[in-house]
Amino acid sequence: MTTPQQPPFGPPMPPGAPVPPKQGMSTGKKIGAGCGGCLGLLLILFIFAGCLSVLSSDTSSGQGGDAAVREESTEPEEDASEQTEEASEDESQEEEEPEPEPEPEVSATIGNGIHQVGNDIEPGTYSTGGPDPDDLFPFCYYARLSGLSGELDDIISNNNIEGPGTVVVAEGDVALELSGGCEWTLQ
C-alpha cells in the first residue's frame, strides 16, 4: 500500500486519507486564473467610465467644449483666407508689372566658335594680338557670315591672320566665325 504523501502546504493529512491531485501546470489549472480575467475586465471598465465622464462633462456644459474647438479651428481658417487674399493681391501686382526681359549678355572678348551678332556679340571692330607662335598652325581665322546654313554663300568675307589683326562686324552680319585659338576683343 502506498503511504499518503503530505501536501507541501496546509495541515498534515491523516493516515488513509485520499491523496488530492497535485495542482499546477500538469493539470491545466492555475490558481487565480479566473481572478486575473476579472482584473482585466475591471481595468477596461474603469478606462471606459473615465472616457464617458470626460465626454459627458464636455456635453453637459453646453457647447463649451465644442465652442472652444470651433473657435480654434475657425481662427486658422480666417488667417488662411487673409493670407490667400494677400497672396492673390501680390500675384495680381506681379502680373500687372511684367519684368523686362534681360538683354542677352554680350562679351567684349571672344574666342573660337560661331557668335551671332546681337545675341552673342555686338557689331563693331574686333582686334587680336595674333596666334600663339608656338602653335603647330599659327593662324587666326575669321569669317563674317550672312547666314548659318554652313554653305559657302553665307561667307561675306574671311581671312587667315598670322599676326595681329582686326575685323569689322557690320550690323547686317548674322554671325562671326572664329578659329585658331585667338582672342578677339571689341574696340
Side-chain angles (χ1 to χ4, degrees):
M1 187 167 179
T2 61
T3 32
Q5 294 183 353
Q6 295 294 323
F9 302 105
M13 292 180 52
V19 179
K22 289 184 178 179
Q23 292 184 354
M25 297 296 243
S26 62
T27 61
K29 297 180 182 177
K30 294 182 181 178
I31 299 175
C35 186
C38 292
L39 290 176
L41 182 61
L42 286 174
L43 182 62
I44 291 172
L45 287 175
F46 280 122
I47 293 172
F48 184 71
C51 291
L52 285 178
S53 68
V54 170
L55 290 174
S56 67
S57 69
D58 283 347
T59 57
S60 66
S61 64
Q63 295 181 352
D66 293 338
V69 171
R70 282 193 203 118
E71 287 177 17
E72 291 176 5
S73 65
T74 56
E75 287 180 24
E77 289 175 10
E78 290 173 5
D79 291 342
S81 64
E82 289 175 8
Q83 291 173 355
T84 305
E85 289 174 9
E86 291 174 5
S88 63
E89 288 175 9
D90 291 341
E91 289 174 3
S92 64
Q93 288 177 357
E94 289 176 7
E95 290 174 9
E96 292 172 3
E97 300 172 12
E99 294 182 21
E101 291 184 24
E103 293 184 19
E105 289 187 28
V106 177
S107 177
T109 302
I110 54 177
N112 290 352
I114 298 176
H115 307 279
Q116 289 184 345
V117 177
N119 287 335
D120 302 326
I121 62 171
E122 291 293 324
T125 302
Y126 288 84
S127 63
T128 183
D132 184 359
D134 295 333
D135 283 348
L136 184 59
F137 300 105
F139 295 101
C140 294
Y141 173 78
Y142 74 84
R144 294 176 44 225
L145 304 175
S146 63
L148 298 173
S149 68
E151 299 291 324
L152 289 175
D153 292 341
D154 288 342
I155 297 175
I156 299 169
S157 68
N158 66 346
N159 197 359
N160 282 311
I161 301 173
E162 293 182 48
T166 60
V167 61
V168 177
V169 177
E171 286 188 28
D173 293 356
V174 172
L176 177 66
E177 181 179 359
L178 302 173
S179 64
C182 300
E183 286 190 356
W184 296 80
T185 304
L186 180 63
Q187 300 299 307

